[in-house]
Amino acid sequence: AQSVTQLDSHVSVSEGTPVLLRCNYSSSYSPSLFWYVQHPNKGLQLLLKYTSAATLVKGINGFEAEFKKSETSFHLTKPSAHMSDAAEYFCVVSDRWGGGNKLTFGTGTQLKVEL
Amino acid sequence: DGGITQSPKYLFRKEGQNVTLSCEQNLNHDAMYWYRQDPGQGLRLIYYSQIVNDFQKGDIAEGYSVSREKKESFPLTVTSAQKNPTAFYLCASSIDSQEYSYEQYFGPGTRLTVT
């Protein structure tokens, strides 16, 4: 069975400072991992994905994440936060199951960006 | 513009009434999914469909029903048997593959309130 743990439910940073959102996963197979972002009352938008190619994955809006198998982690980072980054972020793991993609979502991290 | 549309954005119903949420995609994806989102719980899978005229229960299917008569459409009915129907409902679609975990693309969501 697969699972995802987002270690912080809320993170607050100042504009221009680095962002770190932490995610640990558990999977029986070689997983695919994703980060999605959700702004209030909107759908989810894909930020980046890891699918067993390069362990350092670059995404949209300056975000990146590093897959560390030994630590079972997939933390999301950004060097400099912008006000528009304030949103909820979901770490997601995917296993193949029955021929379909089963996504397991973390409970989300709310990112607040202050002036 | 390719994407997923959900309608309506907000929906209000009285307890005891069935209600149908619309989901349409023009991405030519075989697989479609319905999720429910509640605060602090991430997303939970209700139903999914990998091909027209076939669908499977997800983790929380009780009180819900779906149909998949066309590739581009996957409506969800919330029945009166669903005990806590008030939630944010998200539809998604993806390429379906036996070998690879593709990312899912999400619609903007429908917020259902039942009183």
Side-chain angles (χ1 to χ4, degrees):
Chain A
Q2 58 191 22
S3 65
V4 174
T5 302
Q6 291 185 245
L7 296 161
D8 306 291
S9 58
H10 293 83
V11 170
S12 183
V13 300
S14 299
E15 190 175 33
T17 64
V19 175
L20 169 64
L21 305 183
R22 299 182 295 165
C23 172
N24 287 108
Y25 71 92
S26 170
S27 175
S28 303
Y29 307 101
S30 293
S32 292
L33 291 156
F34 309 85
W35 275 98
Y36 283 85
V37 61
Q38 184 181 34
H39 289 91
N41 291 310
K42 303 286 187 188
L44 276 68
Q45 181 185 16
L46 181 69
L47 276 179
L48 51 80
K49 62 180 179 180
Y50 165 78
T51 53
S52 75
T55 56
L56 182 62
V57 182
K58 293 190 184 298
I60 61 171
N61 301 334
F63 284 94
E64 62 182 39
E66 186 171 7
F67 174 72
K68 292 187 176 181
K69 187 173 181 178
S70 60
E71 299 175 12
T72 60
S73 69
F74 191 56
H75 301 334
L76 182 70
T77 60
K78 183 173 180 177
S80 176
H82 190 271
M83 294 296 290
S84 61
D85 294 328
E88 189 155 25
Y89 292 79
F90 292 95
C91 182
V92 182
V93 62
S94 173
D95 268 345
R96 302 280 327 147
W97 106 112
N101 280 340
K102 178 174 174 60
L103 295 190
T104 298
F105 288 78
T107 51
T109 298
Q110 191 73 42
L111 176 64
K112 183 178 180 181
V113 182
E114 299 171 317
L115 285 170
Chain B
D1 255 346
I4 302 178
T5 56
Q6 291 185 243
S7 61
K9 187 170 177 62
Y10 297 95
L11 192 51
F12 298 89
R13 281 293 183 268
K14 295 287 188 189
E15 198 173 314
Q17 293 179 331
N18 291 357
V19 59
T20 298
L21 282 59
S22 167
C23 176
E24 304 275 331
Q25 55 100 359
N26 61 5
L27 299 168
N28 200 33
H29 287 165
D30 285 308
M32 296 187 74
Y33 312 82
W34 272 106
Y35 293 92
R36 171 186 172 131
Q37 185 177 24
D38 296 282
Q41 294 194 43
L43 274 68
R44 293 180 290 168
L45 182 65
I46 303 172
Y47 267 98
Y48 67 96
S49 169
Q50 293 172 258
I51 197 168
V52 173
N53 292 323
D54 187 47
F55 47 83
Q56 306 295 331
K57 292 181 179 179
D59 299 321
I60 56 163
E62 185 175 348
Y64 300 98
S65 66
V66 294
S67 63
R68 186 86 187 275
E69 297 176 3
K70 298 186 297 183
K71 185 176 184 178
E72 55 271 22
S73 179
F74 191 42
L76 173 74
T77 297
V78 184
T79 74
S80 56
Q82 168 50 233
K83 299 212 181 331
N84 297 296
T86 295
F88 191 50
Y89 290 88
L90 287 157
C91 179
S93 72
S94 74
I95 296 169
D96 190 56
S97 166
Q98 295 291 329
E99 294 84 30
Y100 189 73
S101 289
Y102 285 91
E103 63 271 26
Q104 293 180 13
Y105 293 84
F106 285 81
T110 291
R111 186 164 296 281
L112 173 64
T113 302
V114 176
T115 57

